[in-house]
Amino acid sequence: MFLALLELRAARGRFLLMGSVVVLVSALVGIVSGFTTGLGDDTVSALRRLPATHVAFATGSDSDQFARSLIDDRTAAGWSGEKGVEATPLGVTITRGTTGRGTEVDLAAFGVVPGAFTDPGADDGRRLDATRPHGVVVSRQLLNEGVRVGDTLTVDRLGIRLEVVGSTGRSSYGHVPVAYVTTDAWRQIRFTAPGAPATASAPAAGLPVQYSAMALRLPDGADTAVLEAADRRHDTATVPLESAFAAAPGYDGERLTMTSIQTFLFLIAPLVVGAFFAVWTVQRTPELALLRAMGASRRRLLGHTLAQAAVVVATGTAVGAALAAGLGLLVGEKVPFSLPAGTLAGTMAAVALVGLAGSALTLRRVTTVDPMTMLGAAR
């Protein structure tokens, strides 16, 4: 180990160069991991917040279900009457609105039944109230964009006026901040034709009584067979909540793209580290041969090489992790970036392991060094 540290000091320029490459690779992996998590949260955080275990869609809506699926009132009533499962209608649609002060915002309207388990409540202001069907509880991002509790939010092209009665935590769907409305208000937003007269206090007459899906909650340990039987009775397709994330626009494509980038970085790291230590081993072959001639065992030479690799990889990974975490603090909530400590630690551990695996590619050359090489060189 002492000799390994001496070599690190003697060839510090080379090792600093290699360490810098490890820093950049690990920082890039951490940054990509942060964007992967952040983009995922920005796409489906509203769905993750739902205290549901499953979501039931109309059959035949195999993709983009929240936009294509429609559950009628008969199906909703049937699910609500099922024993052993809580069920409540859920509406999801993306729209745009303008406050009375001229602030224009995009929003994802989530229609929920006030008081149901999907009702998010309110951190500030009042929660949704069935007696005031045009109230809206906005997520924190909309507050950051200029919406205030007490504002009147007018849905573009429809003229539907919503009163901002409260706010809740960060919640988004398809990279759009979420606004929670009653199911009656959601039906009006979803089914009212542009230019049609809007009612100020209640949904317009004649609108379909339909919803995007049914949010379901099974008790812990309950048999999911009840859901399969209910699906057959109500002509629906039920999926676990995590599987419903794929119904959010762009979720699968974004995850595939970011995961592919991470995979290539994990492949690049061992190749770069392995190439460096392969060249370094060739350059120091005479020194290794001298050590063998002096009686050093192969195990000691292996430990010597791995110690150098561990110092370079561990130090570079730690610095890269600090850079990735610093970027997260720098950007704040300006971009969809999220890198929890657990995710960062796991990602950096993976980078360190693949880096050490790359250095292991040079171990065979270390163990096969012939001590006669040095003796022959002396002659």
Side-chain angles (χ1 to χ4, degrees), residues 47 56-70 92 173 190 212-213 237 239 243-253:
L47 298 178
F57 296 103
T59 55
S61 53
D62 298 327
S63 63
D64 198 13
Q65 290 97 322
F66 284 110
R68 298 181 180 181
S69 170
L70 286 175
V92 178
Y173 171 80
R190 173 68 173 81
S212 299
V239 298
S243 299
F245 295 166
Y251 180 75
D252 281 344

Side-chain angles (χ1 to χ4, degrees), residues 151 182 260 299:
D151 283 350
T182 65
S260 298
R299 178 178 298 179

Side-chain angles (χ1 to χ4, degrees), residues 100-122:
R101 292 177 288 104
T103 302
E104 297 183 357
V105 292
D106 294 318
L107 55 95
F110 267 48
V112 298
V113 176
F117 66 85
T118 51
D119 185 348

Side-chain angles (χ1 to χ4, degrees), residues 317-342:
T317 301
V319 175
L323 290 177
L327 177 65
L329 295 175
L330 180 64
V331 299
E333 294 186 359
K334 297 178 182 178
V335 297
F337 186 92
S338 176
L339 192 57

Side-chain angles (χ1 to χ4, degrees), residues 178-204:
V178 168
Y180 294 92
V181 298
T182 65
T183 49
D184 286 342
W186 179 83
R187 288 174 47 234
Q188 194 172 4
I189 295 171
R190 173 68 173 81
F191 297 114
T192 299
T199 304
S201 59

